[in-house]
Amino acid sequence: MTDNTHKKGFIRRFFGAIGGAITWLRRVFTNLLFLLILVFVLAAIFGKEERLIVPQGAALKLAPTGFLVDERSPPSGLPAFLGGPPGPVETRVKDLVDAIDFAAKDKRISAIVLELDYLMGGGLSKLEEVGAALQRFKSAGKPVYAVGDNFTQAQYFLASHADEIYLNPMGSVLLTGFGAYRNYFKSALEKLKVNFHVFRVGDYKDFIEPFTRDDMSPASRENNQRWLHELWSEYTEQVTGLRNLPPQAVDTFIEQLPQNLRQQNGSWAEVALSNQLVDQLASRRVAVKDLQEKIGIGEDDKSYKSIDALPYLRHQRLTEIAPKPGTNKVALISASGAIVDGEAPAGQIGSVTLGNLIAEAREKKVAALVLRIDSGGGSAFASEAIRQELLATREAGIPVVVSMGSVAASGGYWIAAGGDEIWATPSTITGSIGVFGAFPTFEESLESVGIFNDGVGTSDLAGTMRLDRALPEPAAEVLQLGVENTYDRFVRIVSEARSSTPEEVHKIAQGQVWTGRTAQQLGLVDELGNLNDAIAGAARLAELEDYELIEIKRQLSPGERFMRALSDNVDARIAASIQANLTLGAWLSSLEPALQPLAELQSYRDPRAIYARCLPCRAP
């Protein structure tokens, strides 16, 4: 008798065959899709640049997405549109500035149109650099227009440079002023029985205050109020000047917003128009039609005649006349992010990584070096290692100019002290000359749940840095002495670099934060100006009339190049909208600053756990 127990019935075999066919088709489709993407990206990376036609009389469309940065973060993992986590969406400031400057001299470009809906923010100094380029464009006799459904504070700063601003009738201009707020955990740590050990010098070094207090200290409040008011004055003075408004117009707009909204039946757009913050209320369709009359009709008859900024920039760089052989070179290196020991990707400043780039500039025998710093600090050891590389460059006869971005404070200023000249924008956040050491121990937390630590050592310092043991008094003394020694070294470095004395530097140090304008008055900065000004200053120091600017940067790995090309060839608005519409994610991300100081300490990798880092130095 035949055993049919394990034989499948007809129906099961039929549907099994269908399931297998579907699985096969899915695999084939997935593989084909992957191959198509691969071909697309390889063509983007290695293919020849298509010849771009710039329409005569076209407008340059400037539509930055995400955050303005000096150096883009490295691509990691799959882009969001392929199922990866939403990463940072960024636009490089120098790319925008270069595109605007090319367009100012290009007879084919008749105007600039700012479409700012997908700009998420950027430090005031970065906004100022783009604004200065827009002013140079206008000086060439060409108009600038701004179109927006809504304008945030950062977006409106750029829009204020326009000759005419269009706002959607259902839109708004949201101006709120600058602020510096954070969470404090002293009571929470006490309840959790976490002992946070702090070693510092100076009354104003408040990086670790969130773990030692439940509120902002009077010294920190005084310091933060000063630089915030200075930056806000910088913002309002520029906006009111550009819009030909009374000096207090922006502050008055904010103060009287509730009653003005009542008068305008809750219409933010009407309030903005009545306060002369915008010139015309118009839907996107009406604004485009108006721009078509002023600039010309685009190829699809639905848009104005224009060319996007970044493709235009790539085209101009490819067609730019090459410098003559033997032309002197000025090197530009960008250093953005927290300062850490050793190797680091873009978005962080690794002592070895940046040191190698500076050494590469020496090997290329450049005539001058410009180091662009955008950092609130990090490892003191790493900062000193980088400064030594700058000193070696100067000893090789190469002038070094430091250009400060939005922030160049604490360890960022430590590095800057290695330059021949220091340039900052008026709104740069700098100073914060101070040092601290900090780490938590959890011995009491563990004991409360029945976990104890015991053992023997050959000295009182054995096992000192264990998180599950109390910190011995000799170890605490050693750490405090190390912090004091590092602070004294920091002050001596600054006093020698700025032709001052340690006593005079100490008065403006102790962790105090300054704007670039005030820092120049205090002697911490030589000149006020943007990156282009600093580059011209470096050429002047090297006594150059004709020179070529070259950028020296960490080369992306093949995998990073692949992911960068993949991301760059997707409509940037898709990426921006993914980032902007993650409402829950955005709310959760607002909690990240709470534990950020502790997370940052872990990442700096300072061999002695001594840091030169500024917590409030996050550009508004």
Side-chain angles (χ1 to χ4, degrees), residues 418-435:
D420 289 285
E421 283 186 358
I422 300 176
W423 288 68
T425 70
S427 57
T428 293
I429 300 172
T430 188
S432 191
I433 299 168
V435 180

Side-chain angles (χ1 to χ4, degrees), residues 64-78:
T65 59
F67 294 92
L68 299 181
V69 297
D70 285 328
E71 184 180 25
R72 292 178 65 187
S73 301
S76 58
L78 284 175

Side-chain angles (χ1 to χ4, degrees), residues 58-374:
L60 183 72
K61 184 193 293 184
L62 215 67
T65 59
F67 294 92
L68 299 181
V69 297
D70 285 328
E71 184 180 25
R72 292 178 65 187
S73 301
S76 58
L78 284 175
F81 73 94
L82 284 181
V89 184
E90 299 169 333
T91 299
R92 192 165 173 255
V93 171
K94 191 174 187 303
D95 290 340
L96 294 179
V97 170
D98 286 352
I100 295 168
D101 286 339
F102 274 125
K105 301 172 185 176
D106 193 334
K107 295 180 180 179
R108 298 168 297 179
I109 301 297
S110 64
I112 281 179
V113 177
L114 300 172
E115 295 198 7
L116 304 170
D117 288 329
Y118 296 95
L119 173 65
M120 296 178 189
L124 181 55
S125 72
K126 295 181 177 63
L127 296 168
E128 286 181 320
E129 292 207 39
V130 179
L134 291 173
Q135 291 303 110
R136 291 194 294 272
F137 182 88
K138 290 170 67 175
S139 297
K142 301 179 181 183
V144 175
Y145 306 101
V147 180
D149 292 333
N150 295 278
F151 290 109
T152 63
Q153 206 155 258
Q155 293 168 354
Y156 186 73
F157 183 85
L158 291 185
S160 67
H161 291 77
D163 297 277
E164 191 164 0
I165 303 176
Y166 298 86
L167 175 65
N168 192 292
M170 289 191 67
S172 64
V173 176
L174 184 60
L175 304 180
T176 61
F178 294 151
Y181 298 91
R182 68 195 71 157
N183 296 106
Y184 291 81
F185 306 101
K186 179 176 181 289
S187 293
L189 292 173
E190 288 175 353
K191 291 178 179 179
L192 295 170
K193 297 185 178 182
V194 176
N195 294 318
F196 207 87
H197 306 279
V198 173
F199 312 93
R200 68 176 184 178
V201 180
D203 296 331
Y204 299 90
K205 200 65 183 173
D206 55 4
F207 186 95
I208 38 70
E209 276 194 3
F211 302 101
T212 61
R213 298 179 60 91
D214 285 328
D215 60 358
M216 187 179 288
S217 69
S220 179
R221 189 177 302 276
E222 170 201 341
N223 192 34
N224 289 328
Q225 280 183 335
R226 184 186 62 244
W227 65 262
L228 279 170
H229 281 296
E230 289 178 13
L231 289 191
W232 182 241
S233 294
E234 187 76 27
Y235 181 100
T236 56
E237 285 175 12
Q238 290 210 39
V239 167
T240 54
L242 290 164
R243 295 291 300 166
N244 294 316
L245 298 173
Q248 299 301 317
V250 173
D251 288 320
T252 301
F253 170 79
I254 296 172
E255 292 168 6
Q256 298 180 357
L257 184 58
Q259 52 264 47
N260 286 339
L261 281 171
R262 282 194 295 270
Q263 292 174 3
Q264 299 293 344
N265 297 317
S267 172
W268 287 70
E270 291 291 350
V271 171
L273 182 64
S274 64
N275 281 269
Q276 302 177 51
L277 296 181
V278 299
D279 298 292
Q280 188 177 154
L281 301 185
S283 66
R284 184 60 60 112
R285 182 183 61 81
V286 172
V288 167
K289 185 176 180 181
D290 198 32
L291 290 172
Q292 285 178 329
E293 294 175 359
K294 293 176 177 178
I295 300 168
I297 299 175
E299 291 182 359
D300 60 1
D301 295 331
K302 296 180 181 179
S303 63
Y304 54 89
K305 188 190 298 184
S306 66
I307 184 169
D308 290 335
L310 295 185
Y312 171 77
L313 176 63
R314 287 195 293 269
H315 169 75
Q316 291 300 101
R317 284 174 174 167
L318 286 171
T319 57
E320 195 175 12
I321 298 175
K324 297 177 182 178
T327 302
N328 288 306
K329 294 178 174 57
V330 174
L332 170 63
I333 299 175
S334 294
S336 299
I339 302 168
V340 302
D341 194 44
E343 298 279 354
Q348 282 189 322
I349 302 173
S351 58
V352 172
T353 305
L354 180 55
N356 288 341
L357 294 179
I358 296 171
E360 183 180 339
R362 291 198 300 272
E363 292 167 4
K364 291 180 180 292
K365 300 188 184 304
V366 299
L369 169 64
V370 177
L371 179 64
R372 173 72 162 192
I373 300 176
D374 192 18

Side-chain angles (χ1 to χ4, degrees), residues 506-538:
H506 178 68
K507 293 177 183 177
I508 57 176
Q510 305 180 66
Q512 295 179 86
V513 176
W514 312 100
T515 63
R517 190 182 301 280
T518 303
Q520 186 194 32
Q521 297 168 0
L522 295 173
L524 294 174
V525 166
D526 294 295
E527 303 285 349
L528 295 181
N530 56 33
L531 177 59
N532 286 341
D533 297 326
I535 292 169

